[in-house]
Amino acid sequence: MPKGTNQAMYGGDTHLEKYRIRLQLHPGRRSHEFRPYRLFNCFCNNSFNSRKSCIAVVGATASKGKGGNIIVSNLKKGYSGKIYPVNPGYKEIEGLPCYPSVADVPDPVDLAIVFVAAHMVPGVIEDCAKRNIPGVMIQSAGFSETGTKGEALQQKAKQIADKTGIRLWGPNCMGLVDAGRRYVFSTVTPAIWETGLTCGNVSLIAQSGMLAGAFLIDLMSHGTMGISKVCSIGNKMDVDENDLLAYLIGDPDTAAIGLYLESFTDCRRFMALSRGTTKPIVILNGGKTAGGAAAAVSHTASLSASGALVSGAMAQAGIVEANDFYQLADYCKTLGMYPDIPPESRNRVAVLTYTGAAGIVSADIMDTHGLVLSQFSAATLEELQTVFPEWMPPSNPVDMWPGIILNGSKKVYGKAMEAVCADPGVDAVFVHCFAGGFSLETDLEMMAKTARKAGKPLFCWISGERERVHQFQETAQQHGIPVFREIMRAVECMGMLFHRPKGILPGIAHKTESNLVRLGIGSEQGLEKEVESLQQTLQGRGSILIQKQVQGKMELMAGFVKDPRLGPCVMCGLGGIFAEALNDTVFGLAPLTLTDALHMIDRLKCRDMLDGYRGCDPVDKSALGSILVTLGNLGCAYPDIQEIDINPLIIHKGVPVAVDGLVVLAQRMESK
Amino acid sequence: MPKGTNQAMYGGDTHLEKYRIRLQLHPGRRSHEFRPYRLFNCFCNNSFNSRKSCIAVVGATASKGKGGNIIVSNLKKGYSGKIYPVNPGYKEIEGLPCYPSVADVPDPVDLAIVFVAAHMVPGVIEDCAKRNIPGVMIQSAGFSETGTKGEALQQKAKQIADKTGIRLWGPNCMGLVDAGRRYVFSTVTPAIWETGLTCGNVSLIAQSGMLAGAFLIDLMSHGTMGISKVCSIGNKMDVDENDLLAYLIGDPDTAAIGLYLESFTDCRRFMALSRGTTKPIVILNGGKTAGGAAAAVSHTASLSASGALVSGAMAQAGIVEANDFYQLADYCKTLGMYPDIPPESRNRVAVLTYTGAAGIVSADIMDTHGLVLSQFSAATLEELQTVFPEWMPPSNPVDMWPGIILNGSKKVYGKAMEAVCADPGVDAVFVHCFAGGFSLETDLEMMAKTARKAGKPLFCWISGERERVHQFQETAQQHGIPVFREIMRAVECMGMLFHRPKGILPGIAHKTESNLVRLGIGSEQGLEKEVESLQQTLQGRGSILIQKQVQGKMELMAGFVKDPRLGPCVMCGLGGIFAEALNDTVFGLAPLTLTDALHMIDRLKCRDMLDGYRGCDPVDKSALGSILVTLGNLGCAYPDIQEIDINPLIIHKGVPVAVDGLVVLAQRMESK
């Protein structure tokens, strides 16, 4: 990334490398008409490859190391279309003829990449609009992230876009890297080419240039995972995460989507898009704690509540949450390799290890992630025994070392893989490998094939000598095996895969709630009939909750709150004196269906208590869910309502009864 | 590590590489007289270096790649004393004269390393005892880990040791690696020499050869951390974790101690040793969950309770717990670099980053680990502003990028380090670095010096291009800066450092409990007097809890349980209908002092509720603690008592009242 000083003329605005994007609220965008993907059409769809397409680089420069030069160099390295550098100061840049303005470029231009000083950007957009260029990617910085003056410039640019219909990507962004097509539309250091630019099936959308630059170089050079597309959305003044999410959901080269976001342009649309696809989506939401939000921006909303709200909304839409960049990458890698696990899969894991200690520690960590050790069938044990010494009957975890001494590692790993993959009591395989120093060779290709044939996800922990570990990681990646350097992370990913929120079925959420909950089932025959009927409705997806219609007692609480970012939300939690200390609360975005509400209840830590606990009557979840639905509807129906608190909601003979309630109206807040 | 078949004659027992050690219970060892460290004297103390010491390798072989050859080769590479290979089949091994038996070796021998077939081991020990060799390190396998036949052999060896006083290390172990002295007394692959054998101040004790072989190679080659000593204790038939812990506590080259244990030979002695030192100790306890314990061994005890018991015991003794091997290493690295933080240190962190996104995510993760962003002083902000552009006033996290563009990375990192280290509101610094691709150079040496001078721990997150990241890690290690590849782990280590359990003061726990709790303080003057008096007693260590002597109400539970591994234990937890679902229970080993009990109570998740919650009276922790103390004393005094359960323990006006209780006597169990 180039270093230098701000430049007033063509040649590159070095504020581009200002990664940090401030939190932006776009309340007005909710009603924004969704326009066709003109910008995407100009560089992402297939037709772009079938004809000779053209990209203009406005602000290109011959000065090596500057952003305006790097963009041209990166294009030349991978892009097969025509490249037109634009800068009145040059006749030629990087061997290409240079034009004084976009008006002078000969062919129709599909995309303009703009890297000029911020104050010149509005003029360039006007020029592009006049040339009927459908999309402009503004990589210059110096806009809303720098204060009021920059904010005004951004508004001006936005007005031109609104008037002309031209689509704008950015500003203050690192553009796009498409590893499959080898398109690097970015000021990212050309070192990225040396690190491999490994193609994979994970795509990222990032509200930070870091993930499209520094972190991408890290992922690539460490062989962590391959990438399809990385989209750095910057200040997202026009093209936002929802535009890109919609595109990537339909992208055949993308199997899993990861996002780093510090703000949602329209969270409800984001949720609707996520619900409308079976493609796995992972989010790292920056600023979700009080501390993180304070770091992101200071505003008046209740920040820690917002974090819990966002988590509730994500779970509601079936989106996986990550907490760190590498965890985001590892979750995406896992989901990219195993986007669909068989619906009958449970959580039973076979652990194949060369060291008992790692087997034991794996089992300990699995225990805390809701995974269990498979109970092997007699046939499996018999099969394993054929490569084991007599003195050591195999068990799970399979400590293969004694077998390896007798029969060599390839044979024992192979035999063990075959045996556990054939066992119907095994849902996933966790294999431990060592690279370097002593001969522990394994046939990764065979192992991958065996697992794939059995439809069982395979996970691998690798340790050993640095160079050989790296080779191992690259080979495993080629064979589609997710490899991890720490047992904890491998197990975390396994747990995520088996327990990830499944969300609400697309199209069903807001229509058929009455048909997704069947009450008054009095016989086993009736139950079977209803389950069959539900399964038909669910089309093999989702899960069915069977619960007794009886009573119990405890204290819960429920509420409604209007969040400045997410709008009307419903809360449910453990109540009474335990409420605050144990902090067992969940959130959902209103209006809720009953199914939504039941999913919310199921996310409570105390959910097991609701099913009838120590002689108490079980809680009528439907009744509880109905309260949540009604709270949401009430709040939505009356815009004056800012907040409703029902605490405690005493469970009397299984029925939730509101004993105390508080409604806060918005008048006083609005009059501020 | 060599591969081959079991050999009956001298030349190496290949079962050595069988890493897994089964859980061993040594109830008889509690009364075992603690003998002097004769084995350690023979190779660890300073006198060993001042004269020409001698090691005999019994079971040496000329056959390359075999364990008996590797031991000799590893000794030759680093050990400066005399080496005597012993094997009747050779005249010379690796250029050294070979002797038919230990009886034939010319000089007095300080240590015999034994690597012969298991059935020959007892005979070799007798030979060694006859030659007055003080210590024998048995690296052969084939003992208790292989079943009854091996167990009998181990018992036979033990009997010889008990009779002759010779000390035995092992069997079934990987011996010792001392990176400082460059001693490798191990069959570990000679590849370990190529990976660097980096010297550091962390020592490890491992009940698994993996940590002394495969994982050590991983740590060394990845530049994760330097090592002082790694001790693989195998079946620990004589020398055990407590012997080694006592040695390492006194070892001037060891600043932090990490252990991987699957069993405790004598947990109470382990705790006493830990309490008796200020040297930080970290443990990874394998088999602490139901799943993990089942993986480790099947026995009749209540396993998941045991895990919670061990956690309670560790916290009671001020020991840090880790959950994975790399986490163990990272905790040890951190504590080795920062064994003592100033007592006035709190949890306020300055974050210096080159990317806003990483700053925000750091703040989010800090929030969940009890760390807060420092509020910078006006002087600090003013100082930072000198390297920042006008449009961006600095805040915490400090996003340095705009400053870097103006002034270059070295200047900005340097200025920022100086400014935040001088700020009294900063307790630790978390700096983000990038290596490779673009110029983000930092002066690690200066940064380390600045932080050290200010007495503030410095943590570093590094990402970037693989080779340059590796170089960065090695440089940082040289300068004593702990570096992490993931923000999550860096913050985890920071949180551990600031919140690690401080344990009970050595020598005070069982003597002065009445003097550590001061009741009936009625005035501020009285409070001041007592605090001063307590501080004198505490000699500047420990912490003082000030609480009101008033009342409240809620449901708790308390109990006593006799664990087969740990003996009499006391339990305290949240009671009533929430008990099981929320699983808020803590354990301690009886007899408890009141201070012990108060520490236990303070480990409850619901501890905040005890201090007076939502209009409820606060709980009298002294009274609650007294109940726990009494429960423990009662259980200890009456050996027939197997279990006591008081549930619920209703808090009526702040006083805990036992409403229901159950005592289980042991007769029925003993009659089984």
Side-chain angles (χ1 to χ4, degrees), chain A residues 94-133:
Chain A
E94 295 294 320
L96 299 166
C98 186
Y99 301 86
S101 85
V102 283
D104 306 308
V105 170
D107 294 305
V109 172
D110 298 271
L111 171 72
I113 302 176
V114 175
F115 196 68
V116 298
H119 72 274
M120 307 179 73
V121 166
V124 169
I125 297 170
E126 296 235 24
D127 292 349
C128 291
K130 277 179 203 155
R131 275 297 306 260
N132 284 318
I133 299 175

Short mmCIF file of all heavy atoms in Angstrom, two decimals, chain A residues 94-133:
data_model
loop_
_atom_site.label_atom_id
_atom_site.label_comp_id
_atom_site.label_asym_id
_atom_site.label_seq_id
_atom_site.Cartn_x
_atom_site.Cartn_y
_atom_site.Cartn_z
N GLU A 94 1.96 2.69 -17.89
CA GLU A 94 2.19 1.23 -17.90
C GLU A 94 2.00 0.64 -19.30
O GLU A 94 1.43 -0.44 -19.47
CB GLU A 94 1.25 0.54 -16.89
CG GLU A 94 1.52 0.91 -15.44
CD GLU A 94 2.88 0.44 -14.91
OE1 GLU A 94 3.30 -0.68 -15.25
OE2 GLU A 94 3.54 1.23 -14.20
N GLY A 95 2.48 1.37 -20.31
CA GLY A 95 2.41 0.88 -21.70
C GLY A 95 1.05 1.03 -22.34
O GLY A 95 0.84 0.57 -23.47
N LEU A 96 0.10 1.65 -21.64
CA LEU A 96 -1.25 1.82 -22.20
C LEU A 96 -1.47 3.29 -22.54
O LEU A 96 -1.03 4.17 -21.80
CB LEU A 96 -2.30 1.39 -21.17
CG LEU A 96 -2.25 -0.07 -20.71
CD1 LEU A 96 -3.11 -0.25 -19.45
CD2 LEU A 96 -2.74 -0.99 -21.82
N PRO A 97 -2.16 3.58 -23.67
CA PRO A 97 -2.45 4.98 -23.99
C PRO A 97 -3.32 5.60 -22.90
O PRO A 97 -4.25 4.95 -22.41
CB PRO A 97 -3.22 4.91 -25.32
CG PRO A 97 -3.32 3.50 -25.70
CD PRO A 97 -2.71 2.64 -24.65
N CYS A 98 -2.99 6.83 -22.53
CA CYS A 98 -3.72 7.50 -21.46
C CYS A 98 -4.56 8.65 -22.04
O CYS A 98 -4.12 9.34 -22.95
CB CYS A 98 -2.72 8.03 -20.43
SG CYS A 98 -3.50 8.74 -18.98
N TYR A 99 -5.78 8.83 -21.51
CA TYR A 99 -6.71 9.82 -22.05
C TYR A 99 -6.91 10.94 -21.04
O TYR A 99 -6.91 10.71 -19.83
CB TYR A 99 -8.04 9.16 -22.40
CG TYR A 99 -7.85 8.06 -23.42
CD1 TYR A 99 -7.51 6.77 -23.02
CD2 TYR A 99 -7.94 8.32 -24.80
CE1 TYR A 99 -7.30 5.76 -23.95
CE2 TYR A 99 -7.73 7.32 -25.73
CZ TYR A 99 -7.41 6.04 -25.30
OH TYR A 99 -7.18 5.06 -26.23
N PRO A 100 -7.11 12.20 -21.56
CA PRO A 100 -7.24 13.33 -20.64
C PRO A 100 -8.50 13.25 -19.78
O PRO A 100 -8.49 13.68 -18.62
CB PRO A 100 -7.29 14.55 -21.55
CG PRO A 100 -7.29 14.07 -22.95
CD PRO A 100 -7.04 12.61 -22.99
N SER A 101 -9.61 12.70 -20.33
CA SER A 101 -10.82 12.57 -19.51
C SER A 101 -11.63 11.38 -20.01
O SER A 101 -11.35 10.84 -21.10
CB SER A 101 -11.66 13.85 -19.59
OG SER A 101 -12.49 13.80 -20.74
N VAL A 102 -12.63 10.98 -19.25
CA VAL A 102 -13.46 9.84 -19.68
C VAL A 102 -14.19 10.16 -20.98
O VAL A 102 -14.52 9.25 -21.74
CB VAL A 102 -14.48 9.40 -18.60
CG1 VAL A 102 -13.82 8.61 -17.50
CG2 VAL A 102 -15.23 10.58 -18.03
N ALA A 103 -14.41 11.44 -21.23
CA ALA A 103 -15.08 11.84 -22.48
C ALA A 103 -14.25 11.43 -23.69
O ALA A 103 -14.80 11.17 -24.77
CB ALA A 103 -15.32 13.35 -22.50
N ASP A 104 -12.94 11.31 -23.52
CA ASP A 104 -12.05 11.04 -24.63
C ASP A 104 -11.79 9.55 -24.88
O ASP A 104 -11.15 9.18 -25.86
CB ASP A 104 -10.70 11.73 -24.40
CG ASP A 104 -10.89 13.22 -24.14
OD1 ASP A 104 -11.57 13.87 -24.96
OD2 ASP A 104 -10.39 13.73 -23.11
N VAL A 105 -12.25 8.71 -23.98
CA VAL A 105 -12.01 7.27 -24.12
C VAL A 105 -12.81 6.75 -25.31
O VAL A 105 -13.98 7.11 -25.46
CB VAL A 105 -12.42 6.54 -22.81
CG1 VAL A 105 -12.42 5.05 -22.99
CG2 VAL A 105 -11.50 6.97 -21.67
N PRO A 106 -12.17 5.93 -26.23
CA PRO A 106 -12.84 5.57 -27.49
C PRO A 106 -14.06 4.65 -27.31
O PRO A 106 -15.13 4.96 -27.81
CB PRO A 106 -11.73 4.87 -28.28
CG PRO A 106 -10.69 4.44 -27.28
CD PRO A 106 -10.76 5.44 -26.17
N ASP A 107 -13.92 3.53 -26.60
CA ASP A 107 -15.01 2.54 -26.57
C ASP A 107 -16.04 2.85 -25.48
O ASP A 107 -15.79 3.65 -24.59
CB ASP A 107 -14.41 1.16 -26.28
CG ASP A 107 -13.53 0.68 -27.40
OD1 ASP A 107 -14.03 0.63 -28.54
OD2 ASP A 107 -12.34 0.38 -27.14
N PRO A 108 -17.18 2.15 -25.54
CA PRO A 108 -18.09 2.22 -24.40
C PRO A 108 -17.40 1.64 -23.16
O PRO A 108 -16.72 0.63 -23.26
CB PRO A 108 -19.27 1.33 -24.80
CG PRO A 108 -19.10 1.01 -26.24
CD PRO A 108 -17.66 1.24 -26.59
N VAL A 109 -17.54 2.29 -22.05
CA VAL A 109 -16.87 1.86 -20.82
C VAL A 109 -17.88 1.17 -19.91
O VAL A 109 -18.99 1.66 -19.71
CB VAL A 109 -16.23 3.08 -20.11
CG1 VAL A 109 -15.69 2.69 -18.74
CG2 VAL A 109 -15.12 3.66 -20.98
N ASP A 110 -17.50 0.00 -19.38
CA ASP A 110 -18.40 -0.76 -18.50
C ASP A 110 -18.27 -0.33 -17.05
O ASP A 110 -19.23 -0.42 -16.29
CB ASP A 110 -18.08 -2.25 -18.63
CG ASP A 110 -18.31 -2.76 -20.03
OD1 ASP A 110 -19.43 -3.18 -20.32
OD2 ASP A 110 -17.37 -2.67 -20.86
N LEU A 111 -17.08 0.06 -16.67
CA LEU A 111 -16.84 0.42 -15.27
C LEU A 111 -15.74 1.46 -15.21
O LEU A 111 -14.73 1.34 -15.92
CB LEU A 111 -16.40 -0.84 -14.48
CG LEU A 111 -15.89 -0.61 -13.05
CD1 LEU A 111 -17.06 -0.25 -12.13
CD2 LEU A 111 -15.19 -1.85 -12.52
N ALA A 112 -15.96 2.47 -14.37
CA ALA A 112 -14.88 3.43 -14.10
C ALA A 112 -14.41 3.22 -12.67
O ALA A 112 -15.23 3.20 -11.75
CB ALA A 112 -15.40 4.85 -14.29
N ILE A 113 -13.10 3.02 -12.51
CA ILE A 113 -12.53 2.97 -11.17
C ILE A 113 -11.91 4.34 -10.93
O ILE A 113 -11.07 4.80 -11.71
CB ILE A 113 -11.48 1.86 -11.04
CG1 ILE A 113 -12.10 0.50 -11.37
CG2 ILE A 113 -10.89 1.84 -9.63
CD1 ILE A 113 -11.11 -0.67 -11.37
N VAL A 114 -12.34 5.00 -9.86
CA VAL A 114 -11.97 6.40 -9.64
C VAL A 114 -11.04 6.52 -8.44
O VAL A 114 -11.35 6.02 -7.36
CB VAL A 114 -13.24 7.26 -9.45
CG1 VAL A 114 -12.87 8.69 -9.08
CG2 VAL A 114 -14.09 7.23 -10.71
N PHE A 115 -9.90 7.16 -8.67
CA PHE A 115 -8.94 7.37 -7.59
C PHE A 115 -8.34 8.76 -7.74
O PHE A 115 -7.17 8.92 -8.07
CB PHE A 115 -7.86 6.28 -7.64
CG PHE A 115 -7.06 6.18 -6.37
CD1 PHE A 115 -7.65 5.73 -5.20
CD2 PHE A 115 -5.72 6.54 -6.34
CE1 PHE A 115 -6.93 5.65 -4.03
CE2 PHE A 115 -4.99 6.45 -5.17
CZ PHE A 115 -5.59 6.01 -4.01
N VAL A 116 -9.20 9.75 -7.53
CA VAL A 116 -8.75 11.15 -7.59
C VAL A 116 -9.06 11.80 -6.23
O VAL A 116 -9.74 11.20 -5.40
CB VAL A 116 -9.50 11.94 -8.70
CG1 VAL A 116 -9.21 11.33 -10.07
CG2 VAL A 116 -11.00 11.97 -8.43
N ALA A 117 -8.54 12.99 -6.01
CA ALA A 117 -8.81 13.68 -4.75
C ALA A 117 -10.32 13.84 -4.58
O ALA A 117 -11.06 14.01 -5.55
CB ALA A 117 -8.14 15.05 -4.74
N ALA A 118 -10.77 13.78 -3.33
CA ALA A 118 -12.19 13.73 -3.03
C ALA A 118 -12.97 14.87 -3.69
O ALA A 118 -14.05 14.64 -4.25
CB ALA A 118 -12.39 13.77 -1.51
N HIS A 119 -12.42 16.08 -3.68
CA HIS A 119 -13.20 17.21 -4.19
C HIS A 119 -13.44 17.11 -5.70
O HIS A 119 -14.33 17.77 -6.24
CB HIS A 119 -12.51 18.54 -3.85
CG HIS A 119 -11.27 18.79 -4.65
ND1 HIS A 119 -10.03 18.31 -4.27
CD2 HIS A 119 -11.06 19.45 -5.82
CE1 HIS A 119 -9.12 18.67 -5.16
NE2 HIS A 119 -9.73 19.37 -6.11
N MET A 120 -12.66 16.29 -6.39
CA MET A 120 -12.84 16.14 -7.83
C MET A 120 -13.84 15.04 -8.18
O MET A 120 -14.26 14.92 -9.33
CB MET A 120 -11.49 15.81 -8.49
CG MET A 120 -10.41 16.82 -8.13
SD MET A 120 -8.84 16.38 -8.91
CE MET A 120 -9.21 16.80 -10.60
N VAL A 121 -14.21 14.22 -7.18
CA VAL A 121 -15.04 13.04 -7.46
C VAL A 121 -16.40 13.40 -8.07
O VAL A 121 -16.81 12.80 -9.07
CB VAL A 121 -15.16 12.15 -6.21
CG1 VAL A 121 -16.27 11.11 -6.35
CG2 VAL A 121 -13.81 11.46 -5.94
N PRO A 122 -17.15 14.39 -7.52
CA PRO A 122 -18.46 14.69 -8.11
C PRO A 122 -18.37 15.00 -9.60
O PRO A 122 -19.18 14.51 -10.40
CB PRO A 122 -18.94 15.89 -7.29
CG PRO A 122 -18.27 15.73 -5.95
CD PRO A 122 -16.91 15.18 -6.28
N GLY A 123 -17.36 15.78 -10.00
CA GLY A 123 -17.18 16.12 -11.41
C GLY A 123 -16.94 14.87 -12.25
O GLY A 123 -17.50 14.72 -13.35
N VAL A 124 -16.12 13.96 -11.74
CA VAL A 124 -15.83 12.73 -12.47
C VAL A 124 -17.10 11.90 -12.65
O VAL A 124 -17.34 11.33 -13.71
CB VAL A 124 -14.72 11.92 -11.75
CG1 VAL A 124 -14.60 10.53 -12.35
CG2 VAL A 124 -13.38 12.65 -11.81
N ILE A 125 -17.92 11.85 -11.59
CA ILE A 125 -19.17 11.07 -11.69
C ILE A 125 -20.07 11.66 -12.78
O ILE A 125 -20.67 10.93 -13.59
CB ILE A 125 -19.92 11.02 -10.34
CG1 ILE A 125 -19.05 10.32 -9.29
CG2 ILE A 125 -21.25 10.31 -10.47
CD1 ILE A 125 -19.58 10.42 -7.88
N GLU A 126 -20.14 12.98 -12.80
CA GLU A 126 -20.95 13.64 -13.86
C GLU A 126 -20.43 13.25 -15.24
O GLU A 126 -21.21 12.89 -16.13
CB GLU A 126 -20.88 15.17 -13.68
CG GLU A 126 -21.50 15.65 -12.38
CD GLU A 126 -22.59 16.70 -12.61
OE1 GLU A 126 -23.16 16.71 -13.73
OE2 GLU A 126 -22.86 17.49 -11.69
N ASP A 127 -19.11 13.30 -15.42
CA ASP A 127 -18.50 12.91 -16.70
C ASP A 127 -18.87 11.48 -17.06
O ASP A 127 -19.21 11.17 -18.21
CB ASP A 127 -16.96 13.01 -16.62
CG ASP A 127 -16.47 14.46 -16.50
OD1 ASP A 127 -17.31 15.37 -16.69
OD2 ASP A 127 -15.28 14.66 -16.21
N CYS A 128 -18.79 10.59 -16.07
CA CYS A 128 -19.10 9.18 -16.31
C CYS A 128 -20.56 9.01 -16.72
O CYS A 128 -20.89 8.21 -17.61
CB CYS A 128 -18.79 8.34 -15.07
SG CYS A 128 -17.04 8.22 -14.72
N ALA A 129 -21.44 9.74 -16.03
CA ALA A 129 -22.87 9.66 -16.34
C ALA A 129 -23.11 10.11 -17.78
O ALA A 129 -23.89 9.49 -18.51
CB ALA A 129 -23.68 10.49 -15.35
N LYS A 130 -22.43 11.17 -18.17
CA LYS A 130 -22.59 11.67 -19.55
C LYS A 130 -22.15 10.63 -20.57
O LYS A 130 -22.71 10.54 -21.65
CB LYS A 130 -21.76 12.95 -19.74
CG LYS A 130 -22.48 14.20 -19.24
CD LYS A 130 -21.61 15.44 -19.42
CE LYS A 130 -22.04 16.54 -18.45
NZ LYS A 130 -20.95 17.48 -18.17
N ARG A 131 -21.13 9.84 -20.22
CA ARG A 131 -20.65 8.80 -21.14
C ARG A 131 -21.47 7.51 -21.00
O ARG A 131 -21.10 6.47 -21.55
CB ARG A 131 -19.17 8.47 -20.85
CG ARG A 131 -18.14 9.36 -21.51
CD ARG A 131 -18.18 9.28 -23.04
NE ARG A 131 -18.06 7.94 -23.56
CZ ARG A 131 -16.95 7.39 -24.04
NH1 ARG A 131 -15.84 8.09 -24.07
NH2 ARG A 131 -16.94 6.16 -24.50
N ASN A 132 -22.54 7.55 -20.23
CA ASN A 132 -23.38 6.37 -20.00
C ASN A 132 -22.63 5.19 -19.40
O ASN A 132 -22.93 4.03 -19.68
CB ASN A 132 -24.08 5.93 -21.29
CG ASN A 132 -25.22 6.85 -21.62
OD1 ASN A 132 -25.98 7.23 -20.73
ND2 ASN A 132 -25.33 7.23 -22.89
N ILE A 133 -21.66 5.50 -18.61
CA ILE A 133 -20.97 4.42 -17.89
C ILE A 133 -21.91 3.96 -16.78
O ILE A 133 -22.38 4.77 -15.98
CB ILE A 133 -19.62 4.92 -17.31
CG1 ILE A 133 -18.72 5.38 -18.45
CG2 ILE A 133 -18.95 3.84 -16.47
CD1 ILE A 133 -17.41 6.01 -18.01
#
